[in-house]
Amino acid sequence: MNSFDNLYNKDKQLKQTIISDVITPNNTEAYNNVVGYTVDDLLGVMEAYKHGSISNEDLAQEQIRIFLEEYTVKLLSIVKGE
């Protein structure tokens, strides 16, 4: 295994550990929904950029920033139990 693979695996394990420490069985469904919605939102931005509905990189970055802020707020709400 090369060093990239080792780093990738360590990073993945760290993320999984953090998520499993915070996301309980009671909020797993909410977490999975938030992740799914965010992936859909990001794919939508990519498609819009690809097809010209979002005309430049700055607008695409702004949309991605907005979605990531929403994702962060949703995750924090889950962690806080709201």
Side-chain angles (χ1 to χ4, degrees):
M1 199 180 292
N2 65 36
S3 63
F4 174 79
D5 289 337
N6 287 334
L7 290 173
Y8 174 79
N9 288 333
K10 286 180 183 178
D11 182 59
K12 185 175 181 179
Q13 288 174 342
L14 174 64
K15 290 174 189 171
Q16 289 173 337
T17 299
I18 292 169
I19 290 168
S20 67
D21 286 348
V22 175
I23 303 302
T24 65
N26 292 338
N27 56 20
T28 298
E29 183 178 357
Y31 170 77
N32 290 336
N33 288 339
V34 167
V35 170
Y37 298 147
T38 302
V39 170
D40 290 344
D41 288 344
L42 292 173
L43 288 174
V45 171
M46 291 169 46
E47 285 293 317
Y49 185 69
K50 179 175 147 182
H51 294 292
S53 299
I54 295 177
S55 58
N56 65 53
E57 191 175 315
D58 289 337
L59 291 172
Q61 287 178 4
E62 179 63 15
Q63 279 293 254
I64 291 170
R65 185 189 63 75
I66 290 167
F67 289 135
L68 290 177
E69 283 177 350
E70 290 175 9
Y71 176 68
T72 301
V73 168
K74 289 175 184 175
L75 284 179
L76 291 172
S77 296
I78 291 169
V79 170
K80 289 176 64 178
E82 297 176 357

